[in-house]
Amino acid sequence: MIFGCLSLSGKSCFSTLFKFEEMQEIVKNFTVVHVDAPGQEDGAAIYPAGYQYATMDQISDMLPTVLQYFNFRTIIGVGVGAGAYILSKFTLSNPEAVEGLVLINVDTNSRGWMDWAAQKLSNLTSSLTDQILSHLFSQEEMSANTELIQTHRERVSKAPNLINIELFWKSYQGRRDLDIERNNTFKCPVMLVVGDQAPYEEAAVDCNSKLDPTTTSFLKMADAGGMPQLTQPSKLTEAFKYFIQGMGYMASSCMTRLSRSRTTSLSSSYSMEGSRSRSRTLSQGSQGGQLPPSPSHTMEVSC
């Protein structure tokens, strides 16, 4: 199950990654379902003035209905930004429904007073488009004004559902602290991904410090910025393959590019029976090693 980020539908947010050639090996073995927050889908009707938009908690509570509709017992969740937060909330409330999580640029904390004050000032001095872009990209990326930045600026500013996007943005800004800690954390394997220039690098590092190190992988991607699924699909595909192999799926898949990468460091823990008691760090010059075989059952969930 895939949950996109602010200003992008699930398909738009992940189209580059899931159309990537090497990702097709994964796609053909899994059912992929893109989930959009209310009013964020392409062609969505515009909400009227004064509309009370759903909170992050309420959106998370909608996901069981999605699973029920597709008759999914379990999923692997992949989310970016706000989508990663929503999937995190859902997983804490429904641990039996989630086999694994891939969280890109996640921030599980509520805004502090300084963040709140900065946002109030930003609301007065910056357009909604600039606010969202500064959420998605670092100042270095914004200053470079690459084609990616220009594309997103035009996409947001000219979005026919801009009112809906603003409501979603305000809902995310009002998110609650998930209170994740070592004795109250995810019960499934987790891969945290963040670009080295992403604005939420510190938040991802903080989240990593609160998770179980024996079931958590942390991937900091060089030259990835705020949208690694768009700018580094090859590295992310390889890391994702490695992650699901650690869960017991696709053991025969060839793992080469990530182990050769000179810019990637991936800490993970895997075992043959899923206990993941064996810790491994994959970095420059290391080799993937022998990975666990696929389980006898098949997984009818999305990734």
Side-chain angles (χ1 to χ4, degrees):
M1 179 178 290
I2 301 168
F3 214 117
C5 58
L6 276 159
S7 80
L8 291 175
S9 66
K11 289 185 178 181
S12 299
C13 187
F14 288 97
S15 60
T16 299
L17 177 64
F18 279 84
K19 290 180 179 178
F20 186 66
E21 181 180 358
E22 294 181 20
M23 178 61 77
Q24 301 315 302
E25 182 181 8
I26 296 175
V27 172
K28 71 180 182 182
N29 286 288
F30 294 87
T31 302
V32 180
V33 174
H34 297 269
V35 180
D36 294 319
Q40 308 305 304
E41 70 275 12
D42 295 334
I46 305 303
Y47 291 126
Y51 182 83
Q52 187 64 44
Y53 194 79
T55 65
M56 292 288 102
D57 289 356
Q58 290 171 334
I59 296 175
S60 172
D61 290 340
M62 297 175 187
L63 293 183
T65 303
V66 178
L67 269 64
Q68 184 178 13
Y69 177 84
F70 288 105
N71 196 27
F72 290 158
R73 290 183 295 107
T74 58
I75 63 167
I76 296 175
V78 184
V80 178
Y85 176 92
I86 292 168
L87 284 172
S88 297
K89 173 67 177 176
F90 169 75
T91 302
L92 291 173
S93 302
N94 304 271
E96 73 289 343
V98 183
E99 290 196 46
L101 277 177
V102 177
L103 305 175
I104 304 173
N105 292 341
V106 67
D107 186 353
T108 59
N109 298 319
S110 60
R111 291 187 304 159
W113 284 107
M114 292 296 292
D115 293 328
W116 179 86
Q119 184 60 45
K120 284 293 185 181
L121 179 62
S122 179
N123 291 343
L124 297 174
T125 59
S126 303
S127 67
L128 175 64
T129 299
D130 288 334
Q131 292 175 46
I132 291 177
L133 288 178
S134 65
H135 161 73
L136 297 175
F137 303 101
S138 66
Q139 288 302 315
E140 291 81 359
E141 291 178 285
M142 294 281 286
S143 299
N145 197 30
T146 61
E147 182 179 350
L148 180 64
I149 302 296
Q150 296 174 26
T151 299
H152 273 71
R153 183 179 298 278
E154 183 173 357
R155 183 194 298 271
V156 176
S157 62
K158 296 183 179 180
N161 64 334
L162 187 59
I163 293 175
N164 299 1
I165 293 175
E166 182 176 12
L167 291 173
F168 186 31
W169 166 247
K170 290 180 177 179
S171 178
Y172 179 63
Q173 290 297 304
R175 66 189 180 275
R176 297 193 304 162
D177 195 320
L178 293 185
D179 293 324
I180 295 176
E181 53 189 33
R182 288 291 172 87
N183 61 355
N184 179 38
T185 188
F186 303 119
K187 306 303 181 184
C188 63
V190 179
M191 182 169 75
L192 299 176
V193 181
V194 67
D196 63 346
Q197 298 179 25
Y200 285 87
E201 178 184 353
E202 291 185 8
V205 171
D206 177 69
C207 180
N208 181 57
S209 69
K210 299 175 181 178
L211 303 186
D212 184 346
T214 67
T215 58
T216 303
S217 306
F218 185 75
L219 175 60
K220 182 178 177 181
M221 299 183 69
D223 305 319
M227 287 283 190
Q229 76 279 11
L230 299 180
T231 58
Q232 296 286 359
S234 176
K235 290 181 182 178
L236 190 53
T237 296
E238 197 79 357
F240 187 58
K241 286 183 181 180
Y242 194 87
F243 177 69
I244 61 177
Q245 281 191 328
M247 296 171 61
Y249 299 108
M250 297 181 63
S252 62
S253 177
C254 180
M255 306 298 294
T256 56
R257 183 166 298 172
L258 183 63
S259 62
R260 291 200 307 264
S261 173
R262 303 176 64 86
T263 58
T264 304
S265 179
L266 175 62
S267 298
S268 55
S269 306
Y270 303 115
S271 73
M272 295 291 286
E273 298 299 329
S275 61
R276 297 170 178 84
S277 59
R278 197 156 38 105
S279 180
R280 172 186 297 150
T281 299
L282 183 63
S283 57
Q284 177 182 348
S286 66
Q287 298 298 321
Q290 191 68 30
L291 291 167
S294 297
S296 57
H297 62 279
T298 58
M299 183 166 61
E300 300 174 352
V301 300
S302 59
C303 60

